Amino acid sequence: MTQPFTVTVQILDKDYHISCPPAQRANLEQAARYLDGKMREIRLSGKVIGAERIAVLAALNISHDLLQRPASAEPAGEQVRELLAKIDSALLESPTESQQG
């Protein structure tokens, strides 16, 4: 079995170190870029302040999109859920950011 290693991804200009099997590195990086893009869209709207609130809204939007997919797309959805769980874990390990505004 391949040992996991740490991948550093950047989301909203903050680094997160996430343990990941080498074979999943590209998927993790792609998921992080996707999440970063969604969070930046929300931040640019100016309607939501604070990284934590932006992250929750992005997670809800992504979850909604996944639930709207046909059942035949389930394997890809499972991979995304696993990666989101890893990102959630990394967020829990990082210090809480104070809200702006």
Side-chain angles (χ1 to χ4, degrees), residues 10-71:
Q10 194 172 70
I11 301 171
L12 282 187
D13 304 320
K14 185 170 181 180
D15 288 339
Y16 295 92
H17 308 286
I18 302 169
S19 181
C20 173
Q24 292 296 317
R25 179 180 182 153
N27 289 339
L28 175 61
E29 290 171 340
Q30 182 180 12
R33 283 190 302 272
Y34 183 77
L35 177 60
D36 182 64
K38 289 292 187 183
M39 290 177 68
R40 286 179 186 282
E41 286 175 15
I42 293 166
R43 184 173 68 179
L44 287 173
S45 76
K47 296 178 183 178
V48 181
I49 298 174
E52 186 174 313
R53 288 176 182 242
I54 291 170
V56 168
L57 192 53
L60 285 171
N61 287 335
I62 292 168
S63 297
H64 178 265
D65 292 345
L66 283 173
L67 292 172
Q68 300 305 310
R69 295 178 71 174

